[in-house]
């Protein structure tokens, strides 16, 4: 029952009582019969009973209503007090009138302590100006949705960031009567946001590219690693199609990756992607499927790692391993090759001596045989030098003769469509270098020129002498103030593109097809020239041709070729034991020594050598023995000979690389080492040197 209904019921009860009083007065005045007052009394009692019943009913309804109001008030009080967020009610000046339990708990004080306190007391002093701005905003707009404010109370030892919501309450005249404030501690949120920022910073610090794209390949996230790797800024990348941005064409592998990651949740493999400036990268890519709240595919997280350099190193390692295998193979066949070349060289030298009446053509043919045998030995040594390393043999090199040799080779072997021209002044001078290595340098340049002219062209080889001064030396890396011989190899071929011109000297860099070039030629060339104190320059134009200029320090001296006609040394009938498993070697060595007044015994292996030495040990003056023989190798035979006669004179021979053979013979007490292939001159002079040393030593015994 409402308050208005209760008042109406009371008015009606009073009205009925007044009617009874009027009836009673009327009865007295008219003096009606005796029983009339009784009826009137009964009627009055009835009316009073009805009124009392209505009052009782209305009173019960009031009690029920009051209980409901009290229950609602208690419910409101409970909600107010035990709400998870802090709740304050202030007047329009900010004085706290009500405070719930959560507010007191957040501020670490009693609820009663808050009542009557100005709310700014609990705001951090650095943000009180902001609080005043919020108060002003409430006066104007009547409410604020969300603001961040830092709460502080020294006695309560609290200091935390809060999310604040407020509203102004007005009376019926529109006047602000109170302000209601709702606030919550957002310290955890700040910590979470800080962790997210730190994780985002880590995402940006990483060198890997981290990309999030939707299922339609639209880029949603692009970290700084992706910026650095691919060159596209975040603003340029986000919203773009990843496949179009990073691939020149959609490869089947991309479709396979997308299908696999959707079906299995992840995929990883190698992809070729392109940077903003068109550079191709080899990428190790890892894809992970991201799901939404209901477990449906939402996006794909992609982590890309640039493995371009790693792949190049792997390729270089494989090439190095192939070179190492080549070195092992070359080492294995060197001994046999040198055994083949040694008789050729020796015979070519001995025949003119044995038959002095040979015609000029025969002598020229023998000279060609000797020269090519020497070159064959040099090439074997060159291969070993490249694959395993051996000592350089610098000699006086006639530049004129060097270029003439190259000219003869290219004229005989290059296609006839290539025109070959040379221009070498006779007084060009000499250089001190390893002739085989310089031969390799010029042949490499000539072959590259040939490959650059598949349809023919012009190959020019020229040389000139010049002096480099300080100004020129400062502007050219590797140059010093000195006299140089400049050898120029130029072609009219396809030329070299400017973008790769700076890389042509890098190891393993080649523009040739797989199997047609190792990428080692120019890097080896650069190493050879630098080791000789020289430098290289290159100029090229696409479609016009290329010009290489090799600068070598020159030496003063005669440029005319001096023919060495010194008479070879002869023996005095000394007995020499020659042990080698190659019959050609023993025969030609025996013939050479016998022609120069030596006596010779030959053996085909170590066992035969020991038997012959044991038989003629008092007569044998010198043992010439190969290090690699069947049944018993040279080292074992040498040690056994030294047991038989500690004073035995031994020269070891080997067709292996000189440095390797020297290591093999080190510490076994021999008198010398002779590398195959050797000439008659080298053989006779070496033997004479040993005998001379023995005679000199004997004078002081």
């Amino acid at each position: 029952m409402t308050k208005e209904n209760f008042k109406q019921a009371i008015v009606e009860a009073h009205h009925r009582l007044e009617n009874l009083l009027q009836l009673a007065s009327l009865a007295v005045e008219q003096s009606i019969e005796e029983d009339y007052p009784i009826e009137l009394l009964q009627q009055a009692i009835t009316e009073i009973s009805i009124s009392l019943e209505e009052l009782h009913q209305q009173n019960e309804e009031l009690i029920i209503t009051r209980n409901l109001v009290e229950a609602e008030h208690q419910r409101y009080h409970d909600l107010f007090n035990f709400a998870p967020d802090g709740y304050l009610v202030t007047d329009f000046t900010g004085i706290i009138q009500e405070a719930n339990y959560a507010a007191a708990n957040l501020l670490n004080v009693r609820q009663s302590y808050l009542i009557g306190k100005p709310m700014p007391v609990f705001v951090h002093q650095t943000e009180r100006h902001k609080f005043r701005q919020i108060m002003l905003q409430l006066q104007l707009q009547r409410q604020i949705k969300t603001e961040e404010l830092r709460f502080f109370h020294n006695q309560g030892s609290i200091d935390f960031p809060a999310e604040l919501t407020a509203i102004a309450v007005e009376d019926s005249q529109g006047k602000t009567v109170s302000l209601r404030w709702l606030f919550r501690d957002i310290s955890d949120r700040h910590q979470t946001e800080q962790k997210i920022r730190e994780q985002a910073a880590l995402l940006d610090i990483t060198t890997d590219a981290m990309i999030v794209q939707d299922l339609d390949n639209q880029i949603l996230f692009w970290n700084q690693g992706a910026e650095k790797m691919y060159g596209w800024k975040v603003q340029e990348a986000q919203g773009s199609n990843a496949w179009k941005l990073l691939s020149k064409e959609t490869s089947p592998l991309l479709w396979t990756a997308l299908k696999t990651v959707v079906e299995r949740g992840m995929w990883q493999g190698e992809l070729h992607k392109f940077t903003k400036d068109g550079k191709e990268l080899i990428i190790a890519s890892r894809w992970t499927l991201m799901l939404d709240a209901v477990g449906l595919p939402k996006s794909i997280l992609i982590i890309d790692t640039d493995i371009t350099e790693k792949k190049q190193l792997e390729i270089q390692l494989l090439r190095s391993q192939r070179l190492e295998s080549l070195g092992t193979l070359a080492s294995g066949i060197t001994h046999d090759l040198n055994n083949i070349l040694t008789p050729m060289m020796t015979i070519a030298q001995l025949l003119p001596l044995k038959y002095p009446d040979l015609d000029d053509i025969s002598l020229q043919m023998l000279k060609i045989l000797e020269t090519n045998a020497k070159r064959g030995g040099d090439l074997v040594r060159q291969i070993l030098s490249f694959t395993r390393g051996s000592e350089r043999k610098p000699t006086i090199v006639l530049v004129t003769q060097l270029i003439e040799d190259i000219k003869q080779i290219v004229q005989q072997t290059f296609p006839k469509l290539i025109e070959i021209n040379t221009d070498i002044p006779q007084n060009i001078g000499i250089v001190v270098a390893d002739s085989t290595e310089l031969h390799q340098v010029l042949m490499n340049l000539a072959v590259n020129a040939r490959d650059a002219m598949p349809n023919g062209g012009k190959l020019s080889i020229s040389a000139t002498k010049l002096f480099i001064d300080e100004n020129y030396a400062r502007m050219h890396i590797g140059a010093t103030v000195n006299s140089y011989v400049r050898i120029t190899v130029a072609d009219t071929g396809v030329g070299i593109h400017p973008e790769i011109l700076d890389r042509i000297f890098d190891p393993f860099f080649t523009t040739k097809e797989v199997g047609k070039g190792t990428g080692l030629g120019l890097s080896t060339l650069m190493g050879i020239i630098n080791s000789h104190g020289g430098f290289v320059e290159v100029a090229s134009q696409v479609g016009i041709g290329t010009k290489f200029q090799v600068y070598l320090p020159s030496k003063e001296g005669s440029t005319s070729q001096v023919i060495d006609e010194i008479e070879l040394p002869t023996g005095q009938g000394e007995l020499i034991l020659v042990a080698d498993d190659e019959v050609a070697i023993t025969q030609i060595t025996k013939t050479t020594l016998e022609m120069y007044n030596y006596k010779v015994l030959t053996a085909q292996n170590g066992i035969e050598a020991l038997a012959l030495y044991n038989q003629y040990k008092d007569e044998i003056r010198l043992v010439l023995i190969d290090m690699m023989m069947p049944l018993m190798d040279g080292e074992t035979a040498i040690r056994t000979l030294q047991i038989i006669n500690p004073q035995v004179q031994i020269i070891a021979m080997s067709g292996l690389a000189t440095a390797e053979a020297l290591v093999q013979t080190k510490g076994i007490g021999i008198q010398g080492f002779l590398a195959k292939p050797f000439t008659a001159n080298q053989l006779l002079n070496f033997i004479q040197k040993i005998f001379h040393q023995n005679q000199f030593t004997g004078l002081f015994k």
Side-chain angles (χ1 to χ4, degrees):
M1 175 179 287
T2 63
K3 184 177 180 181
E4 288 74 13
N5 291 338
F6 183 67
K7 288 181 179 180
Q8 183 64 31
I10 294 175
V11 170
E12 290 178 355
H14 280 292
H15 184 67
R16 284 194 293 271
L17 289 174
E18 288 177 356
N19 288 337
L20 287 173
L21 289 174
Q22 290 178 358
L23 289 173
S25 299
L26 181 63
V28 172
E29 292 176 356
Q30 295 180 355
S31 299
I32 57 175
E33 58 270 14
E34 292 181 357
D35 59 349
Y36 181 77
I38 295 173
E39 293 176 358
L40 182 62
L41 180 59
Q42 289 176 345
Q43 185 178 357
I45 292 170
T46 301
E47 290 292 335
I48 291 171
S49 297
I50 293 172
S51 297
L52 289 173
E53 182 64 28
E54 289 180 349
L55 288 174
H56 177 72
Q57 183 178 354
Q58 291 167 1
N59 184 53
E60 286 183 348
E61 290 180 0
L62 281 175
I63 291 172
I64 293 172
T65 301
R66 185 179 64 185
N67 290 337
L68 289 174
V69 170
E70 289 178 352
E72 287 296 326
H73 182 269
Q74 185 63 40
R75 188 178 298 111
Y76 163 77
H77 184 268
D78 291 341
L79 290 173
F80 176 78
N81 245 344
F82 298 104
D85 296 331
Y87 191 75
L88 298 174
V89 178
T90 69
D91 61 15
F92 68 93
T93 65
I95 302 300
I96 298 174
Q97 297 174 334
E98 295 182 64
N100 70 344
Y101 176 79
N105 188 47
L106 286 171
L107 297 174
N108 198 24
V109 294
R110 299 185 308 277
Q111 284 180 266
S112 59
Y113 177 84
L114 293 172
I115 307 303
K117 298 291 191 303
M119 188 173 171
V121 170
F122 301 97
V123 176
H124 199 283
Q125 58 183 4
T126 59
E127 296 199 336
R128 286 175 184 171
H129 175 72
K130 182 179 180 180
F131 179 77
R132 288 192 291 271
Q133 295 295 323
I134 294 173
M135 292 278 290
L136 180 60
Q137 184 179 351
L138 278 172
Q139 295 291 337
L140 297 175
Q141 300 179 2
R142 300 305 183 193
Q143 69 175 2
I144 60 168
K145 292 185 177 179
T146 302
E147 289 283 351
E148 279 198 19
L149 198 68
R150 192 160 198 89
F151 279 78
F152 174 79
H153 188 249
N154 190 26
Q155 292 181 357
S157 300
I158 57 96
D159 184 2
F160 63 89
E163 182 182 85
L164 186 69
T165 304
I167 188 172
V169 179
E170 301 176 345
D171 59 13
S172 58
Q173 286 77 33
K175 182 179 179 181
T176 301
V177 293
S178 65
L179 303 174
R180 297 180 180 178
W181 308 84
L182 186 69
F183 64 99
R184 64 183 59 174
D185 186 352
I186 56 173
S187 299
D188 291 342
R189 183 196 301 175
H190 275 205
Q191 292 175 359
T192 302
E193 290 173 350
Q194 179 62 27
K195 288 182 179 179
I196 292 174
R197 285 192 293 269
E198 291 173 355
Q199 291 171 353
L202 290 175
L203 294 180
D204 285 334
I205 290 173
T206 180
T207 56
D208 289 342
M210 304 190 71
I211 305 167
V212 178
Q213 65 183 47
D214 62 20
L215 301 182
D216 295 323
N217 303 318
Q218 301 299 310
I219 296 174
L220 307 176
F221 175 77
W222 184 268
N223 75 333
Q224 290 185 12
E227 284 190 6
K228 295 174 183 177
M229 185 177 295
Y230 296 115
W232 298 97
K233 298 295 183 182
V234 175
Q235 299 81 358
E236 298 172 309
Q238 284 185 345
S240 301
N241 186 290
W243 291 8
K244 293 181 179 179
L245 190 73
L246 302 175
S247 303
K248 290 186 176 180
E249 59 182 17
T250 303
S251 68
L253 187 57
L254 285 173
W255 288 108
T256 301
L258 181 60
K259 183 175 182 292
T260 303
V261 76
V262 171
E263 292 177 352
R264 302 181 183 178
M266 60 187 308
W267 174 89
Q268 62 180 9
E270 290 184 10
L271 296 172
H272 288 254
K273 296 187 178 183
F274 293 85
T275 64
K276 186 177 181 180
D277 57 7
K279 180 182 178 182
E280 184 176 6
L281 302 178
I282 303 174
I283 300 297
S285 194
R286 300 176 296 282
W287 295 23
T288 304
L289 187 65
M290 310 298 289
L291 306 177
D292 61 15
V294 295
L296 295 177
K298 178 180 65 172
S299 58
I300 300 171
L301 169 63
I302 299 175
I303 301 177
D304 285 349
T305 304
D306 184 2
I307 59 171
T308 307
E309 291 186 4
K310 177 185 176 183
K311 282 294 181 181
Q312 291 174 346
L313 289 174
E314 288 178 356
I315 293 172
Q316 292 178 15
L317 177 60
L318 290 175
R319 287 175 173 171
S320 297
Q321 290 173 345
R322 288 202 300 270
L323 286 175
E324 185 178 350
S325 300
L326 174 62
T328 303
L329 176 63
S331 178
I333 66 176
T334 294
H335 182 266
D336 294 334
L337 288 175
N338 285 331
N339 283 337
I340 294 171
L341 293 171
T342 297
M344 296 170 60
M345 291 174 59
T346 309
I347 290 172
Q349 289 179 328
L350 291 180
L351 283 177
L353 299 175
K354 188 171 183 178
Y355 303 100
D357 297 330
L358 287 174
D359 57 78
D360 292 340
I361 296 178
S362 298
L363 291 173
Q364 184 178 359
M365 292 175 65
L366 288 173
K367 187 63 178 176
I368 292 173
L369 177 62
E370 180 185 355
T371 301
N372 282 277
K374 285 182 179 179
R375 182 165 293 162
D378 289 341
L379 288 175
V380 171
R381 191 178 77 251
Q382 175 185 331
I383 293 173
L384 287 172
S385 175
F386 180 75
T387 58
R388 309 185 98 179
S390 66
E391 75 280 3
R392 176 176 288 117
K393 294 183 178 180
T395 58
I396 293 177
V397 178
L398 301 173
V399 178
T400 304
Q401 185 64 45
L402 176 67
I403 297 178
E404 284 295 334
D405 290 344
I406 297 297
K407 180 181 178 181
Q408 290 182 10
I409 294 173
V410 298
Q411 284 179 334
Q412 294 172 4
T413 59
F414 281 18
K416 300 304 180 183
L417 292 174
I418 297 177
E419 179 185 348
I420 301 168
N421 295 323
T422 58
D423 181 14
I424 312 103
Q426 289 300 316
N427 60 346
I428 190 62
I430 59 177
V431 295
V432 176
D434 187 305
S435 60
T436 301
E437 290 186 342
L438 292 190
H439 189 275
Q440 176 187 354
V441 166
L442 296 184
M443 278 304 303
N444 186 284
L445 294 177
V447 170
N448 284 349
R450 178 202 65 188
D451 294 342
M453 299 183 289
N455 300 319
K458 184 177 180 180
L459 170 62
S460 300
I461 304 176
S462 60
T464 184
K465 191 174 181 179
L466 74 160
F467 180 80
I468 290 181
D469 58 18
E470 292 183 2
N471 292 332
Y472 189 94
R474 280 197 300 268
M475 295 184 293
H476 295 76
I477 298 175
T480 59
V481 178
N482 201 353
S483 294
Y484 283 84
V485 172
R486 181 177 64 197
I487 303 174
T488 303
V489 179
D491 64 66
T492 57
V494 295
I496 304 171
H497 199 281
E499 291 183 357
I500 65 172
L501 191 60
D502 292 337
R503 300 179 58 197
I504 61 174
F505 293 106
D506 292 347
F508 301 106
F509 178 81
T510 180
T511 57
K512 298 180 181 179
E513 298 177 8
V514 176
K516 293 187 177 181
T518 63
L520 292 169
L522 290 179
S523 62
T524 303
L525 177 151
M526 181 65 78
I528 290 173
I529 299 303
N530 288 342
S531 67
H532 284 85
F535 60 98
V536 182
E537 292 183 344
V538 58
S540 184
Q541 288 183 282
V542 176
I544 296 178
T546 303
K547 178 171 67 176
F548 283 88
Q549 292 182 316
V550 177
Y551 292 77
L552 291 167
S554 65
K555 299 295 181 181
E556 298 298 329
S558 173
T559 59
S560 61
Q561 186 172 5
V562 180
I563 301 176
D564 185 9
E565 296 181 348
I566 300 175
E567 184 177 356
L568 295 176
T570 59
Q572 298 179 2
E574 295 93 339
L575 180 61
I576 298 176
L577 173 60
V578 179
D580 198 303
D581 60 312
E582 291 288 337
V583 177
I585 297 291
T586 55
Q587 287 181 349
I588 193 61
T589 304
K590 182 176 185 296
T591 302
T592 302
L593 293 175
E594 288 178 344
M595 286 180 62
Y596 286 87
N597 200 28
Y598 291 102
K599 296 177 182 179
V600 180
L601 295 173
T602 61
Q604 300 301 311
N605 53 61
I607 296 176
E608 287 186 15
L610 292 177
L612 286 171
Y613 186 82
N614 192 55
Q615 184 178 355
Y616 298 99
K617 61 183 176 182
D618 294 333
E619 301 175 39
I620 294 175
R621 293 284 307 278
L622 179 67
V623 177
L624 196 63
I625 187 168
D626 186 47
M627 295 299 295
M628 296 178 64
M629 292 184 297
L631 301 181
M632 180 184 289
D633 61 19
E635 182 177 352
T636 304
I638 289 171
R639 295 190 184 280
T640 306
L641 288 171
Q642 290 170 339
I643 294 173
I644 297 172
N645 179 13
Q647 305 301 321
V648 63
Q649 304 295 300
I650 299 173
I651 295 178
M653 300 183 295
S654 178
L656 296 177
T658 305
E660 184 176 349
L662 283 174
V663 171
Q664 185 180 353
T665 57
K666 184 178 180 181
I668 60 176
I670 62 174
Q671 278 61 52
F673 174 79
L674 192 60
K676 298 177 183 178
F678 49 80
T679 65
N681 190 331
Q682 291 173 324
L683 174 64
L684 296 169
N685 279 291
F686 202 175
I687 292 174
Q688 193 64 31
K689 178 182 177 182
I690 298 297
F691 286 160
H692 178 72
Q693 288 176 347
N694 290 339
Q695 291 173 357
F696 183 78
T697 304
L699 294 175
F700 296 93
K701 284 188 178 180

